[in-house]
Coordinates of all heavy atoms in Angstrom, one line a residue:
L201 N 13.5 -6.4 9.5 CA 13.8 -6.0 8.2 C 12.7 -6.4 7.2 O 12.4 -7.7 7.2 CB 15.2 -6.5 7.7 CG 16.4 -6.0 8.5 CD1 17.6 -6.7 8.0 CD2 16.5 -4.5 8.4
Y202 N 12.2 -5.6 6.3 CA 11.1 -6.0 5.4 C 11.5 -5.5 4.1 O 12.0 -4.4 3.8 CB 9.8 -5.3 5.9 CG 9.3 -5.9 7.2 CD1 9.5 -5.3 8.4 CD2 8.6 -7.1 7.2 CE1 9.1 -5.8 9.6 CE2 8.2 -7.7 8.4 CZ 8.4 -7.0 9.6 OH 8.0 -7.6 10.7
S203 N 11.2 -6.3 3.1 CA 11.3 -6.0 1.7 C 10.1 -5.3 1.2 O 9.0 -5.7 1.5 CB 11.5 -7.3 0.8 OG 11.4 -7.0 -0.5
V204 N 10.3 -4.1 0.6 CA 9.3 -3.3 0.1 C 9.6 -3.0 -1.4 O 10.7 -2.5 -1.7 CB 9.1 -1.9 0.8 CG1 8.0 -1.1 0.1 CG2 8.8 -2.2 2.2
A205 N 8.6 -3.3 -2.3 CA 8.7 -3.0 -3.7 C 7.6 -2.1 -4.1 O 6.5 -2.3 -3.6 CB 8.7 -4.3 -4.5
V228 N 2.2 -2.4 7.2 CA 2.3 -2.1 5.9 C 2.7 -0.6 5.6 O 3.6 -0.2 4.9 CB 1.2 -2.6 5.0 CG1 1.2 -2.0 3.5 CG2 1.0 -4.1 5.0
L273 N -0.1 -5.5 -1.7 CA -0.2 -6.9 -1.5 C 0.9 -7.4 -0.5 O 1.9 -6.7 -0.4 CB 0.0 -7.7 -2.9 CG -1.0 -7.2 -3.9 CD1 -0.2 -6.8 -5.2 CD2 -2.0 -8.2 -4.2
V274 N 0.7 -8.4 0.2 CA 1.6 -8.9 1.1 C 1.9 -10.4 0.9 O 1.1 -11.2 0.6 CB 1.1 -8.8 2.6 CG1 2.1 -9.4 3.6 CG2 0.9 -7.4 2.9
D275 N 3.2 -10.7 0.9 CA 3.7 -12.1 0.7 C 4.2 -12.6 2.0 O 5.1 -12.1 2.5 CB 4.8 -12.1 -0.4 CG 5.3 -13.6 -0.6 OD1 4.8 -14.5 0.0 OD2 6.3 -13.7 -1.4
A276 N 3.4 -13.6 2.5 CA 3.8 -14.2 3.8 C 4.6 -15.5 3.5 O 4.6 -16.3 4.4 CB 2.6 -14.5 4.6
G277 N 5.1 -15.7 2.4 CA 5.9 -16.9 2.0 C 5.2 -17.8 1.0 O 5.7 -18.8 0.5
D278 N 3.9 -17.4 0.6 CA 3.1 -18.3 -0.2 C 2.6 -17.5 -1.4 O 1.6 -17.7 -2.1 CB 2.0 -18.9 0.5 CG 1.0 -17.9 1.1 OD1 1.4 -16.7 1.2 OD2 -0.1 -18.3 1.6
G279 N 3.3 -16.4 -1.7 CA 3.0 -15.6 -2.9 C 2.3 -14.3 -2.5 O 1.7 -14.2 -1.3
Y280 N 2.3 -13.3 -3.3 CA 1.6 -12.0 -2.9 C 0.1 -12.2 -2.9 O -0.5 -12.8 -3.9 CB 2.0 -10.9 -3.9 CG 3.4 -10.3 -3.6 CD1 4.5 -10.7 -4.4 CD2 3.6 -9.5 -2.5 CE1 5.8 -10.2 -4.1 CE2 4.9 -9.0 -2.2 CZ 5.9 -9.4 -3.1 OH 7.2 -8.9 -2.8
R281 N -0.5 -11.6 -1.9 CA -1.9 -11.7 -1.8 C -2.6 -10.4 -1.5 O -2.0 -9.6 -0.8 CB -2.4 -12.7 -0.6 CG -1.8 -14.1 -0.7 CD -2.8 -15.1 -0.8 NE -2.1 -16.4 -0.9 CZ -2.1 -17.3 -1.9 NH1 -2.6 -16.9 -3.0 NH2 -1.5 -18.4 -1.8
R290 N -2.7 -3.4 8.9 CA -2.2 -4.8 8.6 C -0.8 -4.8 9.2 O 0.2 -4.3 8.7 CB -2.1 -4.9 7.1 CG -1.4 -6.2 6.5 CD -1.8 -7.5 7.3 NE -1.4 -8.7 6.6 CZ -0.3 -9.3 6.8 NH1 0.7 -8.8 7.6 NH2 0.0 -10.4 6.1
L292 N 2.8 -6.5 10.2 CA 3.8 -7.2 9.5 C 4.5 -8.3 10.4 O 4.8 -7.9 11.6 CB 4.8 -6.4 8.8 CG 4.3 -5.5 7.7 CD1 5.5 -4.6 7.2 CD2 3.9 -6.5 6.5
Q293 N 4.7 -9.4 10.0 CA 5.4 -10.5 10.8 C 6.7 -10.8 10.0 O 6.9 -10.6 8.8 CB 4.5 -11.7 10.9 CG 3.2 -11.4 11.6 CD 3.3 -10.8 13.1 OE1 4.2 -11.0 13.8 NE2 2.5 -9.7 13.3
A294 N 7.6 -11.4 10.8 CA 8.9 -11.6 10.3 C 8.8 -12.4 8.9 O 8.0 -13.4 8.8 CB 9.7 -12.5 11.3
G295 N 9.6 -12.0 7.9 CA 9.7 -12.7 6.7 C 8.7 -12.3 5.6 O 8.8 -12.6 4.5
E296 N 7.7 -11.4 6.0 CA 6.8 -11.0 5.0 C 7.4 -9.8 4.1 O 8.2 -9.2 4.5 CB 5.5 -10.4 5.8 CG 4.7 -11.5 6.4 CD 3.4 -11.1 7.0 OE1 3.4 -10.0 7.6 OE2 2.4 -11.8 6.9
R297 N 6.8 -9.8 2.9 CA 7.3 -8.8 1.9 C 6.0 -8.0 1.5 O 4.9 -8.6 1.5 CB 7.9 -9.4 0.7 CG 9.1 -10.3 1.1 CD 9.7 -11.0 -0.1 NE 8.8 -11.7 -0.9 CZ 9.0 -12.0 -2.3 NH1 10.0 -11.6 -2.9 NH2 8.1 -12.7 -2.9
V298 N 6.2 -6.7 1.1 CA 5.1 -5.8 0.8 C 5.3 -5.3 -0.7 O 6.5 -4.9 -1.0 CB 5.1 -4.6 1.7 CG1 4.0 -3.7 1.3 CG2 4.9 -5.1 3.1
L299 N 4.3 -5.3 -1.4 CA 4.3 -4.8 -2.8 C 3.3 -3.8 -2.9 O 2.1 -4.0 -2.7 CB 4.1 -6.0 -3.8 CG 3.9 -5.6 -5.3 CD1 5.2 -4.9 -5.8 CD2 3.4 -6.7 -6.1

Side-chain angles (χ1 to χ4, degrees):
L201 297 176
Y202 292 97
S203 171
V204 178
V228 170
L273 303 128
V274 175
D275 179 3
D278 57 352
Y280 284 104
R281 306 240 186 253
R290 174 47 166 88
L292 291 174
Q293 302 303 322
E296 291 184 321
R297 302 182 306 158
V298 179
L299 172 65

